[in-house]
């Protein structure tokens, strides 16, 4: 069993920045696996935001390209999501994930962007 513990988030005005962090309880597991960030806005389905594989290759949803940056620190078993130029439509609960939708999830954190 792997635990993902998330921190960061909060409220910010449009155009601002926030950073999310997610620490995995197993460094061996973390180093071997792709990590994902998802979000779920009120009344909407959970959607994929960004991913980073064990080699550091990244992928982003079109809605966040150029504004969000996913990164990882394998020594700290931590994945980050740096969010800049935030928009009101980025408001959601954000989760980190490993092993896909049937895998491990963090507890989630609210990000609220006010215009």
């Amino acid at each position: 069993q792997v635990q993902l513990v998330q921190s960061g988030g909060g409220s910010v005005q449009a155009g601002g920045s926030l950073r999310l962090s997610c620490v995995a309880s197993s460094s061996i597991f973390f180093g071997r696996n792709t990590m994902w960030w998802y979000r779920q806005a009120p009344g909407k389905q959970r959607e994929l935001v960004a991913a980073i594989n064990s080699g550091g290759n990244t992928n982003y949803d079109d809605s966040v390209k150029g504004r969000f940056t996913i990164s990882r620190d394998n020594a700290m078993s931590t994945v980050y999501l740096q969010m800049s130029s935030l928009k009101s439509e980025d408001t959601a609960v954000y989760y980190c994930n490993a092993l896909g939708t049937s895998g491990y999830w963090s507890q989630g954190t609210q990000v609220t962007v006010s215009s």
Side-chain angles (χ1 to χ4, degrees):
Q1 189 77 6
V2 175
Q3 291 185 328
L4 301 176
V5 180
Q6 189 176 336
S7 60
S11 297
V12 67
Q13 290 191 329
S17 299
L18 288 171
R19 190 176 80 157
L20 306 179
S21 302
C22 176
V23 181
S25 60
S26 167
S27 59
I28 294 174
F29 173 89
F30 182 86
R32 292 175 178 175
N33 284 281
T34 296
M35 299 298 296
W36 313 78
W37 284 101
Y38 284 80
R39 67 186 179 187
Q40 187 166 18
K44 295 187 177 181
Q45 289 189 334
R46 195 171 294 188
E47 62 178 5
L48 178 63
V49 174
I52 184 167
N53 68 12
S54 58
N57 297 307
T58 60
N59 203 1
Y60 298 93
D61 184 79
D62 286 344
S63 65
V64 306
K65 279 182 181 177
R67 301 188 299 119
F68 289 13
T69 302
I70 187 172
S71 61
R72 65 191 295 157
D73 183 338
N74 288 339
M76 300 295 289
S77 302
T78 302
V79 61
Y80 304 97
L81 186 68
Q82 178 68 45
M83 304 181 291
S84 302
S85 301
L86 282 161
K87 304 176 181 179
S88 57
E89 50 263 46
D90 295 319
T91 295
V93 178
Y94 284 72
Y95 303 87
C96 69
N97 168 271
L99 297 182
T101 55
S102 60
Y104 302 106
W105 292 92
S106 65
Q107 79 276 22
T109 189
Q110 177 70 45
V111 171
T112 302
V113 184
S114 57
S115 56

